[in-house]
Amino acid sequence: MSKKIVGDDGKTYVQKKPFYKRVWFWILAIIVIAVIGSAMGGSNEGDTAKKVNSSSDAAKKVSNSGSKTEPSAKQTTFKVGETAEYKGVQFKVNKVDYTNGDGDIDSPDSGKQYVVVNITITNNSDDKIDYNPFDYKLDDNGNQTDFDSTVSTVDSELNSGTLAKGASVTGNLVGEATTSDKLKLIYQGNMFSDAEHVVFELN
């Protein structure tokens, strides 16, 4: 409520309450904090990747149980050849190759090789999804770098684009690493959420 004061000149003035003491300010602040907390810190069943059973495994389970199989329980790390499903989108690392490049045209840094990861992305969600090679990191013993190498001997590199419902794309991600180290592919779809990622062990 505004406060009336009388000045030295005999006039009456209205002293308004500071905005941070007003009820509406604190209500708005609480709403903003709740929204940010929900977006950054909240996690639920859909925020965790799951392993998708192979067709042979699925056939066995169907024959044994007589019912349709579903993606198995939560899984944080996947292997080459396994399919991970995250929010209706499937990721599969088909194979991993290593190359020293052409030599005359391109070559990796000393002590390293080019790591070529062939990946398939399938959109089984109800919406269109965007894909981008910069959503992926090559983890070399904890040192994470972009798949931003271009090698003349490697074609079909994964570019950016959009997948409609039911569509898929296959392409190569190329980076550099010390291949004797422990290597991982990390999908980080949301830079603001550590929970939103899928990890594949490459070796």
Side-chain angles (χ1 to χ4, degrees):
M1 190 173 177
S2 301
K3 180 180 178 182
K4 293 182 179 181
I5 59 175
V6 179
D8 295 336
D9 55 2
K11 295 182 178 180
T12 300
Y13 298 90
V14 177
Q15 184 182 40
K16 294 184 178 180
K17 185 182 294 186
F19 73 91
Y20 56 83
K21 289 186 178 181
R22 296 175 181 267
V23 174
W24 63 263
F25 172 79
W26 290 107
I27 293 176
L28 181 62
I30 292 172
I31 293 174
V32 170
I33 292 172
V35 170
I36 293 175
S38 175
M40 297 184 65
S43 77
N44 51 46
E45 187 75 14
D47 287 335
T48 305
K50 294 182 179 181
K51 179 182 176 181
V52 178
N53 294 315
S54 65
S55 57
S56 59
D57 290 340
K60 290 178 182 178
K61 290 191 175 182
V62 169
S63 62
N64 291 336
S65 64
S67 60
K68 183 179 179 181
T69 59
E70 298 292 337
S72 60
K74 300 176 184 177
Q75 187 169 328
T76 56
T77 304
F78 302 84
K79 299 181 183 299
V80 175
E82 292 183 339
T83 301
E85 183 170 287
Y86 179 76
K87 292 185 175 179
V89 181
Q90 292 185 355
F91 304 87
K92 181 181 180 181
V93 172
N94 302 302
K95 63 177 182 174
V96 181
D97 293 320
Y98 306 99
T99 177
N100 291 316
D102 182 275
D104 294 329
I105 301 176
D106 40 50
S107 59
D109 293 338
S110 178
K112 296 184 178 182
Q113 283 186 297
Y114 291 117
V115 182
V116 184
V117 182
N118 185 264
I119 185 173
T120 296
I121 308 167
T122 303
N123 181 20
N124 288 333
S125 71
D126 293 327
D127 303 308
K128 293 181 179 179
I129 64 156
D130 295 326
Y131 62 91
N132 193 309
F134 290 104
D135 289 338
Y136 302 85
K137 297 290 184 181
L138 176 58
D139 186 297
D140 180 348
N141 277 352
N143 180 30
Q144 297 181 9
T145 56
D146 291 324
F147 284 95
D148 56 1
S149 299
T150 300
V151 183
S152 59
T153 56
V154 177
D155 55 10
S156 301
E157 292 187 22
L158 184 71
N159 297 309
S160 60
T162 301
L163 288 178
K165 178 181 178 181
S168 64
V169 62
T170 297
N172 291 315
L173 297 167
V174 186
E176 289 187 37
T178 304
T179 54
S180 60
D181 291 343
K182 189 63 178 176
L183 304 180
K184 298 177 183 178
L185 167 76
I186 299 178
Y187 166 74
Q188 188 90 33
N190 184 346
M191 63 181 295
F192 300 107
S193 173
D194 290 334
E196 188 166 325
H197 69 274
V198 181
V199 179
F200 283 89
E201 295 179 345
L202 301 180
N203 57 6

